[in-house]
Amino acid sequence: HPAHADLLYVNYTKGDGATVVSEFTMAGQPPIADPASERLVLEVPQPAGNHNGGMIAFGPQGDLWIAMGDGGGSNDRFGNGQRDDTLLGAMLRIKVGPGSEPSAVVGDMGFAAEEVWAIGLRNPWRFSFDGDRIWIGDVGQGEVEEIDSEFTEDRSLNFGWPLYEGTDCFSGPCDGVDESGRVIRFPVHEYRHDEGCSITGGYVYRGSAIPQLDGHYFYSDFCSGFIRSIAPDGVIHDWSNGTGTPAQVSSFGRDEAGEVYVVSAAGTVYRIVEGQG
Protein backbone atom coordinates (compact mmCIF):
# COMPACT_ATOMS: atom_id res chain seq x y z
CA HIS A 1 0.00 0.00 0.00
CA PRO A 2 1.53 3.38 -0.97
CA ALA A 3 0.47 5.01 2.31
CA HIS A 4 0.68 2.00 4.65
CA ALA A 5 3.90 0.05 4.18
CA ASP A 6 2.75 -2.78 6.45
CA LEU A 7 -0.16 -3.74 4.18
CA LEU A 8 0.24 -6.18 1.28
CA TYR A 9 -2.39 -7.02 -1.35
CA VAL A 10 -2.66 -10.31 -3.23
CA ASN A 11 -4.77 -11.56 -6.14
CA TYR A 12 -5.25 -15.34 -6.25
CA THR A 13 -7.62 -18.01 -7.56
CA LYS A 14 -9.51 -20.24 -5.11
CA GLY A 15 -10.04 -23.94 -5.62
CA ASP A 16 -13.57 -23.26 -6.85
CA GLY A 17 -12.18 -20.87 -9.48
CA ALA A 18 -13.24 -17.61 -7.84
CA THR A 19 -10.93 -14.60 -8.05
CA VAL A 20 -9.94 -13.32 -4.61
CA VAL A 21 -8.21 -10.07 -3.67
CA SER A 22 -7.04 -10.01 -0.06
CA GLU A 23 -5.16 -7.73 2.31
CA PHE A 24 -2.38 -9.03 4.58
CA THR A 25 -0.45 -7.35 7.38
CA MET A 26 3.35 -7.56 7.31
CA ALA A 27 5.70 -7.46 10.28
CA GLY A 28 9.31 -8.23 11.22
CA GLN A 29 12.65 -7.74 9.49
CA PRO A 30 12.55 -8.55 6.68
CA PRO A 31 8.80 -7.90 6.56
CA ILE A 32 6.76 -11.10 6.24
CA ALA A 33 3.02 -11.34 5.63
CA ASP A 34 1.07 -13.03 8.41
CA PRO A 35 -1.34 -15.61 6.87
CA ALA A 36 -3.66 -15.21 9.85
CA SER A 37 -4.07 -11.49 9.09
CA GLU A 38 -5.86 -12.07 5.77
CA ARG A 39 -8.78 -9.71 5.23
CA LEU A 40 -10.98 -10.27 2.18
CA VAL A 41 -11.18 -7.25 -0.10
CA LEU A 42 -13.09 -8.75 -3.00
CA GLU A 43 -14.28 -12.17 -4.22
CA VAL A 44 -15.63 -12.65 -7.74
CA PRO A 45 -17.06 -16.02 -8.88
CA GLN A 46 -15.70 -17.20 -12.24
CA PRO A 47 -17.94 -19.23 -14.59
CA ALA A 48 -14.90 -20.76 -16.37
CA GLY A 49 -11.25 -21.41 -15.63
CA ASN A 50 -9.69 -19.04 -18.15
CA HIS A 51 -9.71 -15.24 -18.63
CA ASN A 52 -9.06 -14.46 -14.97
CA GLY A 53 -6.98 -11.34 -15.64
CA GLY A 54 -4.98 -11.81 -12.48
CA MET A 55 -3.14 -8.53 -11.97
CA ILE A 56 -3.53 -5.79 -9.38
CA ALA A 57 -1.58 -2.53 -9.00
CA PHE A 58 -1.85 0.78 -7.21
CA GLY A 59 -2.55 3.69 -9.53
CA PRO A 60 -1.19 7.24 -9.43
CA GLN A 61 -4.01 8.42 -7.14
CA GLY A 62 -3.35 5.63 -4.61
CA ASP A 63 -6.34 3.48 -5.60
CA LEU A 64 -6.11 -0.27 -6.15
CA TRP A 65 -6.81 -1.34 -9.75
CA ILE A 66 -7.90 -4.90 -10.54
CA ALA A 67 -7.98 -6.49 -14.01
CA MET A 68 -10.89 -8.87 -14.60
CA GLY A 69 -11.44 -11.07 -17.66
CA ASP A 70 -14.87 -11.73 -19.17
CA GLY A 71 -15.45 -15.00 -17.30
CA GLY A 72 -13.79 -17.32 -19.79
CA GLY A 73 -14.89 -19.75 -22.42
CA SER A 74 -14.78 -18.09 -25.84
CA ASN A 75 -16.74 -15.50 -27.81
CA ASP A 76 -17.86 -13.86 -24.54
CA ARG A 77 -19.89 -16.99 -23.87
CA PHE A 78 -21.33 -15.67 -20.63
CA GLY A 79 -22.27 -12.24 -21.98
CA ASN A 80 -20.23 -10.18 -19.53
CA GLY A 81 -18.19 -7.97 -21.87
CA GLN A 82 -20.82 -5.27 -22.37
CA ARG A 83 -22.63 -5.52 -19.02
CA ASP A 84 -22.08 -2.64 -16.62
CA ASP A 85 -23.53 -4.44 -13.59
CA THR A 86 -20.85 -7.15 -13.31
CA LEU A 87 -17.21 -7.08 -12.22
CA LEU A 88 -16.23 -9.40 -15.08
CA GLY A 89 -14.80 -8.11 -18.37
CA ALA A 90 -13.81 -4.91 -16.61
CA MET A 91 -11.09 -2.84 -14.99
CA LEU A 92 -11.94 -2.20 -11.36
CA ARG A 93 -10.76 0.70 -9.23
CA ILE A 94 -11.30 0.77 -5.45
CA LYS A 95 -9.93 2.33 -2.29
CA VAL A 96 -8.31 0.01 0.25
CA GLY A 97 -6.52 0.42 3.55
CA PRO A 98 -7.17 0.75 7.27
CA GLY A 99 -10.77 1.29 8.26
CA SER A 100 -13.98 -0.52 9.07
CA GLU A 101 -14.58 -1.64 5.48
CA PRO A 102 -12.00 -3.60 3.44
CA SER A 103 -12.74 -1.57 0.29
CA ALA A 104 -14.67 1.48 -0.88
CA VAL A 105 -15.65 2.91 -4.24
CA VAL A 106 -13.62 5.79 -5.65
CA GLY A 107 -16.57 7.74 -7.02
CA ASP A 108 -19.14 7.71 -9.78
CA MET A 109 -17.59 5.93 -12.77
CA GLY A 110 -20.83 5.80 -14.72
CA PHE A 111 -21.58 2.09 -14.27
CA ALA A 112 -24.15 0.12 -12.28
CA ALA A 113 -21.32 -1.80 -10.60
CA GLU A 114 -19.65 1.01 -8.69
CA GLU A 115 -16.22 -0.66 -8.57
CA VAL A 116 -15.95 -0.64 -12.38
CA TRP A 117 -13.76 1.94 -14.13
CA ALA A 118 -14.08 0.49 -17.66
CA ILE A 119 -15.93 -2.34 -19.41
CA GLY A 120 -15.40 -4.17 -22.70
CA LEU A 121 -12.22 -6.10 -21.84
CA ARG A 122 -11.69 -9.74 -22.80
CA ASN A 123 -8.69 -10.73 -20.69
CA PRO A 124 -6.48 -7.80 -19.64
CA TRP A 125 -3.11 -9.54 -19.34
CA ARG A 126 -0.89 -7.02 -17.61
CA PHE A 127 -1.48 -3.31 -17.20
CA SER A 128 0.70 -0.52 -15.91
CA PHE A 129 0.75 3.19 -15.20
CA ASP A 130 2.92 5.97 -16.55
CA GLY A 131 2.08 9.28 -14.96
CA ASP A 132 -1.64 9.83 -15.39
CA ARG A 133 -2.07 7.19 -18.10
CA ILE A 134 -2.88 3.48 -17.88
CA TRP A 135 -1.61 0.98 -20.47
CA ILE A 136 -3.49 -2.31 -20.91
CA GLY A 137 -2.61 -5.38 -22.95
CA ASP A 138 -5.90 -7.13 -23.75
CA VAL A 139 -5.78 -10.67 -25.14
CA GLY A 140 -7.79 -11.20 -28.32
CA GLN A 141 -10.08 -14.01 -29.42
CA GLY A 142 -8.69 -15.53 -32.60
CA GLU A 143 -7.42 -12.70 -34.78
CA VAL A 144 -6.33 -9.50 -33.00
CA GLU A 145 -4.25 -8.61 -29.93
CA GLU A 146 -4.61 -5.05 -28.63
CA ILE A 147 -3.00 -2.38 -26.48
CA ASP A 148 -5.20 0.28 -24.89
CA SER A 149 -4.04 3.51 -23.27
CA GLU A 150 -6.22 6.13 -21.60
CA PHE A 151 -6.06 8.79 -18.91
CA THR A 152 -6.80 7.38 -15.47
CA GLU A 153 -9.16 10.22 -14.59
CA ASP A 154 -11.44 9.52 -17.58
CA ARG A 155 -14.78 7.95 -16.73
CA SER A 156 -17.35 5.58 -18.23
CA LEU A 157 -14.96 3.88 -20.66
CA ASN A 158 -15.84 0.99 -22.96
CA PHE A 159 -13.01 -0.88 -24.75
CA GLY A 160 -15.44 -2.64 -27.05
CA TRP A 161 -15.26 -6.40 -26.49
CA PRO A 162 -17.16 -8.36 -27.83
CA LEU A 163 -18.67 -5.79 -30.18
CA TYR A 164 -15.14 -5.46 -31.49
CA GLU A 165 -11.97 -7.51 -31.37
CA GLY A 166 -9.38 -4.77 -31.60
CA THR A 167 -10.78 -2.60 -34.39
CA ASP A 168 -12.36 -5.60 -36.18
CA CYS A 169 -16.12 -5.94 -35.96
CA PHE A 170 -16.77 -9.11 -33.93
CA SER A 171 -20.33 -9.58 -32.65
CA GLY A 172 -21.57 -6.07 -33.44
CA PRO A 173 -23.30 -3.77 -33.80
CA CYS A 174 -20.19 -1.88 -34.88
CA ASP A 175 -21.26 1.75 -35.17
CA GLY A 176 -18.66 3.08 -32.73
CA VAL A 177 -20.93 3.37 -29.68
CA ASP A 178 -22.46 0.93 -27.21
CA GLU A 179 -26.14 0.60 -26.38
CA SER A 180 -25.82 3.32 -23.72
CA GLY A 181 -24.25 5.76 -26.16
CA ARG A 182 -20.69 5.46 -24.83
CA VAL A 183 -18.09 5.97 -27.54
CA ILE A 184 -15.94 2.87 -27.97
CA ARG A 185 -12.30 3.43 -27.03
CA PHE A 186 -10.21 1.76 -29.72
CA PRO A 187 -6.67 0.45 -29.13
CA VAL A 188 -3.58 2.59 -29.65
CA HIS A 189 -2.00 -0.44 -31.30
CA GLU A 190 -2.98 -3.91 -32.43
CA TYR A 191 -1.37 -6.86 -34.21
CA ARG A 192 -2.78 -9.99 -35.80
CA HIS A 193 -2.23 -13.67 -35.10
CA ASP A 194 0.29 -14.11 -37.86
CA GLU A 195 2.64 -12.30 -35.42
CA GLY A 196 1.61 -13.92 -32.13
CA CYS A 197 -1.29 -15.36 -30.17
CA SER A 198 -1.53 -13.74 -26.72
CA ILE A 199 -0.32 -10.26 -25.80
CA THR A 200 1.64 -9.59 -22.62
CA GLY A 201 1.41 -5.94 -21.64
CA GLY A 202 4.41 -4.17 -20.18
CA TYR A 203 5.72 -0.81 -18.98
CA VAL A 204 6.91 2.54 -20.24
CA TYR A 205 10.69 2.86 -19.96
CA ARG A 206 11.73 5.69 -17.63
CA GLY A 207 15.27 4.59 -16.82
CA SER A 208 18.57 6.39 -17.29
CA ALA A 209 20.66 3.49 -18.63
CA ILE A 210 19.21 3.86 -22.16
CA PRO A 211 17.98 7.50 -22.32
CA GLN A 212 17.04 7.24 -26.01
CA LEU A 213 14.25 4.84 -25.00
CA ASP A 214 12.59 7.25 -22.58
CA GLY A 215 8.83 7.05 -23.08
CA HIS A 216 8.87 3.77 -25.04
CA TYR A 217 6.12 1.33 -23.97
CA PHE A 218 7.48 -2.24 -24.02
CA TYR A 219 5.30 -5.30 -24.65
CA SER A 220 5.59 -8.89 -25.85
CA ASP A 221 3.61 -11.96 -26.92
CA PHE A 222 3.41 -15.23 -24.97
CA CYS A 223 3.73 -17.36 -28.11
CA SER A 224 6.21 -15.55 -30.34
CA GLY A 225 8.32 -13.89 -27.62
CA PHE A 226 9.16 -10.74 -29.57
CA ILE A 227 10.25 -7.69 -27.59
CA ARG A 228 8.71 -4.53 -29.06
CA SER A 229 8.05 -0.99 -28.00
CA ILE A 230 5.76 1.86 -28.96
CA ALA A 231 7.72 5.11 -29.15
CA PRO A 232 6.17 8.39 -27.97
CA ASP A 233 5.55 9.28 -31.63
CA GLY A 234 3.60 6.03 -32.12
CA VAL A 235 6.25 4.23 -34.18
CA ILE A 236 6.61 0.50 -33.41
CA HIS A 237 10.15 -0.78 -32.80
CA ASP A 238 11.03 -4.50 -32.78
CA TRP A 239 14.10 -5.22 -30.62
CA SER A 240 14.06 -8.99 -31.07
CA ASN A 241 17.28 -9.08 -33.12
CA GLY A 242 19.11 -7.83 -30.05
CA THR A 243 17.07 -9.38 -27.26
CA GLY A 244 16.16 -12.70 -28.85
CA THR A 245 12.69 -14.11 -28.26
CA PRO A 246 12.33 -15.29 -24.64
CA ALA A 247 10.07 -18.27 -24.10
CA GLN A 248 6.59 -17.67 -22.69
CA VAL A 249 6.83 -14.01 -21.76
CA SER A 250 4.19 -13.77 -19.04
CA SER A 251 4.86 -10.40 -17.44
CA PHE A 252 7.05 -7.31 -17.22
CA GLY A 253 8.32 -5.23 -14.34
CA ARG A 254 9.80 -1.79 -13.76
CA ASP A 255 12.07 -0.91 -10.84
CA GLU A 256 12.35 2.33 -8.90
CA ALA A 257 15.00 3.56 -11.34
CA GLY A 258 12.61 3.09 -14.29
CA GLU A 259 14.50 0.12 -15.79
CA VAL A 260 12.32 -2.53 -17.43
CA TYR A 261 12.38 -6.29 -16.79
CA VAL A 262 10.93 -9.19 -18.78
CA VAL A 263 9.48 -12.24 -17.00
CA SER A 264 9.45 -15.68 -18.64
CA ALA A 265 7.10 -18.40 -17.38
CA ALA A 266 9.96 -20.77 -18.24
CA GLY A 267 11.69 -19.46 -15.11
CA THR A 268 13.92 -16.51 -16.07
CA VAL A 269 13.78 -12.77 -15.39
CA TYR A 270 15.61 -10.57 -17.91
CA ARG A 271 16.57 -6.90 -17.73
CA ILE A 272 16.54 -4.74 -20.86
CA VAL A 273 20.03 -3.30 -21.37
CA GLU A 274 21.82 -1.47 -24.16
CA GLY A 275 23.49 -3.74 -26.72
CA GLN A 276 27.24 -4.03 -26.80
CA GLY A 277 29.26 -3.84 -30.03
Side-chain angles (χ1 to χ4, degrees), residues 27 32-33 46 158 161 188 190-191 193 198 229 237 256:
I32 297 175
Q46 293 279 2
N158 187 343
W161 173 255
V188 296
E190 63 184 21
Y191 63 90
H193 278 198
S198 181
S229 68
H237 296 264
E256 291 182 351

Side-chain angles (χ1 to χ4, degrees), residues 182-255:
R182 302 182 189 94
V183 175
I184 301 299
R185 301 296 182 104
F186 290 111
V188 296
H189 178 63
E190 63 184 21
Y191 63 90
R192 308 192 75 82
H193 278 198
D194 58 350
E195 300 179 59
C197 77
S198 181
I199 192 166
T200 299
Y203 287 81
V204 173
Y205 182 84
R206 293 299 182 188
S208 58
I210 319 175
Q212 62 268 32
L213 293 183
D214 184 59
H216 280 240
Y217 171 77
F218 279 85
Y219 65 100
S220 184
D221 185 274
F222 187 82
C223 299
S224 60
F226 61 66
I227 303 296
R228 294 178 180 172
S229 68
I230 305 175
D233 61 4
V235 174
I236 306 300
H237 296 264
D238 193 317
W239 305 99
S240 303
N241 286 340
T243 63
T245 53
Q248 301 177 340
V249 176
S250 57
S251 193
F252 282 76
R254 186 174 66 182
D255 65 20

Side-chain angles (χ1 to χ4, degrees), residues 139-173:
V139 178
Q141 172 70 42
E143 296 292 337
V144 183
E145 304 297 305
E146 72 177 72
I147 297 170
D148 302 297
S149 182
E150 301 288 345
F151 290 105
T152 58
E153 285 307 290
D154 286 349
R155 297 286 194 275
S156 195
L157 302 189
N158 187 343
F159 290 113
W161 173 255
L163 305 179
Y164 295 85
E165 181 187 12
T167 57
D168 285 7
C169 189
F170 189 77
S171 67

Side-chain angles (χ1 to χ4, degrees), residues 24-275:
F24 291 85
T25 300
M26 296 187 294
Q29 289 296 328
I32 297 175
D34 177 8
S37 70
E38 180 175 10
R39 185 166 74 145
L40 181 68
V41 172
L42 197 68
E43 182 171 335
V44 184
Q46 293 279 2
N50 57 342
H51 302 185
N52 290 168
M55 182 175 169
I56 58 177
F58 282 97
Q61 292 81 25
D63 308 320
L64 185 66
W65 296 61
I66 305 165
M68 297 295 300
D70 65 4
S74 58
N75 305 309
D76 193 24
R77 179 181 305 168
F78 303 103
N80 292 314
Q82 288 298 302
R83 287 177 54 184
D84 74 352
D85 60 348
T86 177
L87 303 188
L88 295 172
M91 185 67 70
L92 315 183
R93 180 180 176 183
I94 59 176
K95 292 183 179 294
V96 294
S100 58
E101 298 295 331
S103 67
V105 298
V106 174
D108 183 11
M109 298 292 170
F111 299 106
E114 295 181 303
E115 301 92 341
V116 172
W117 176 77
I119 64 172
L121 291 166
R122 184 174 181 270
N123 190 32
W125 190 256
R126 303 306 180 241
F127 65 93
S128 63
F129 300 97
D130 182 59
D132 57 358
R133 295 193 72 91
I134 185 172
W135 291 78
I136 306 168
D138 194 25
V139 178
Q141 172 70 42
E143 296 292 337
V144 183
E145 304 297 305
E146 72 177 72
I147 297 170
D148 302 297
S149 182
E150 301 288 345
F151 290 105
T152 58
E153 285 307 290
D154 286 349
R155 297 286 194 275
S156 195
L157 302 189
N158 187 343
F159 290 113
W161 173 255
L163 305 179
Y164 295 85
E165 181 187 12
T167 57
D168 285 7
C169 189
F170 189 77
S171 67
C174 296
D175 51 8
V177 297
D178 65 16
E179 63 180 14
S180 298
R182 302 182 189 94
V183 175
I184 301 299
R185 301 296 182 104
F186 290 111
V188 296
H189 178 63
E190 63 184 21
Y191 63 90
R192 308 192 75 82
H193 278 198
D194 58 350
E195 300 179 59
C197 77
S198 181
I199 192 166
T200 299
Y203 287 81
V204 173
Y205 182 84
R206 293 299 182 188
S208 58
I210 319 175
Q212 62 268 32
L213 293 183
D214 184 59
H216 280 240
Y217 171 77
F218 279 85
Y219 65 100
S220 184
D221 185 274
F222 187 82
C223 299
S224 60
F226 61 66
I227 303 296
R228 294 178 180 172
S229 68
I230 305 175
D233 61 4
V235 174
I236 306 300
H237 296 264
D238 193 317
W239 305 99
S240 303
N241 286 340
T243 63
T245 53
Q248 301 177 340
V249 176
S250 57
S251 193
F252 282 76
R254 186 174 66 182
D255 65 20
E256 291 182 351
E259 304 299 328
V260 171
Y261 297 76
V262 182
V263 181
S264 166
T268 305
V269 178
Y270 303 89
R271 181 163 60 92
I272 294 176
V273 298
E274 189 165 14

